[in-house]
Amino acid sequence: MKALSVSRFNALWLVLMAVMIATRFKHFGDMLHLPDASMAVFFLGGLTLRRHWTFVVMVLLAVALDWVSISYAGVSDFCITLAYSFLPLAYAVLWYAGRWFAPRMSGSAMSYAGAFMVALLAAIGSFAISNGSFYWLGGRYANPHMSEYLSRLWQWGPLFVGTTMGYVATALALQAVVSRVATPANAQGGARA
């Protein structure tokens, strides 16, 4: 995947920030709110934006949104524990997996499938970090033990990873369509006579 022009970089960055803002307040979603897209936003940001400073700004945005939602929107602070400090690491797994895969994005079906698989592995790793740190370090469970942790991992993992992959699949499909439409016919193997 070639580097984005400044205008495309800025437009995509604004879209990713808007998606995070629009979905972060209600983490599980309901009839009026979409599920949280943050994990997908971090993978897609790494895949397309790639810049380290942009990752830092996106983490700061996530923290600011959490603060606003807890302070002013009535969202519970149950998840704000010592484990919250592991979220940048969990998001870094997603961002840098996307960044690592970015040079392999060629626009072929295989590269999109590869991006999807890397996103899946990164989402699993990211969720394991965030969920594991919360379970083991959050102080919310009196006697943590491995069987309960694995049970909770299995209970919540499919929801978070599945939501992430739904957003990633949608974004990759959109990117494939836009790329196809934006590419002149002669660049797609020649115009038909």
Side-chain angles (χ1 to χ4, degrees):
M1 178 181 277
K2 62 183 178 179
L4 298 171
S5 68
V6 172
S7 61
R8 285 185 185 208
F9 176 91
N10 289 335
L12 185 55
W13 192 21
L14 287 173
V15 166
L16 290 175
M17 286 192 301
V19 168
M20 186 187 292
I21 291 166
T23 64
R24 192 153 176 105
F25 287 103
K26 298 285 187 180
H27 287 281
F28 298 108
D30 58 25
M31 293 300 285
L32 300 175
H33 302 92
L34 292 171
D36 183 16
S38 298
M39 289 174 63
V41 164
F42 278 98
F43 177 77
L44 295 167
L47 186 66
T48 56
L49 303 177
R50 295 185 241 166
R51 296 181 180 148
H52 302 292
W53 65 268
T54 313
F55 168 72
V56 173
V57 172
M58 295 297 281
V59 168
L60 293 173
L61 174 62
V63 170
L65 290 171
D66 289 346
W67 178 77
V68 167
S69 66
I70 290 167
S71 299
Y72 299 104
V75 173
S76 169
D77 65 352
F78 182 77
C79 292
I80 307 300
T81 67
L82 170 65
Y84 190 81
S85 64
F86 280 78
L87 273 185
L89 176 60
Y91 291 149
V93 167
L94 293 156
W95 186 277
Y96 289 99
R99 191 174 194 272
W100 171 80
F101 193 78
R104 294 155 185 82
M105 285 297 292
S106 64
S108 70
M110 288 302 291
S111 68
Y112 287 108
F116 184 84
M117 291 308 297
V118 169
L120 177 60
L121 294 174
I124 291 168
S126 176
F127 180 74
I129 290 168
S130 65
N131 184 266
S133 63
F134 180 73
Y135 182 77
W136 295 106
L137 303 173
R140 301 291 190 211
Y141 303 99
N143 298 308
H145 53 85
M146 187 56 77
S147 63
E148 182 182 36
Y149 169 65
L150 293 175
S151 169
R152 291 185 155 297
L153 190 68
W154 183 247
Q155 176 185 5
W156 296 107
L159 174 66
F160 281 89
V161 172
T163 297
T164 300
M165 297 316 297
Y167 282 120
V168 168
T170 301
L172 291 174
L174 227 110
Q175 181 184 0
V177 167
V178 168
S179 174
R180 188 77 128 147
V181 169
T183 304
N186 59 3
Q188 293 179 11
R192 294 183 184 168

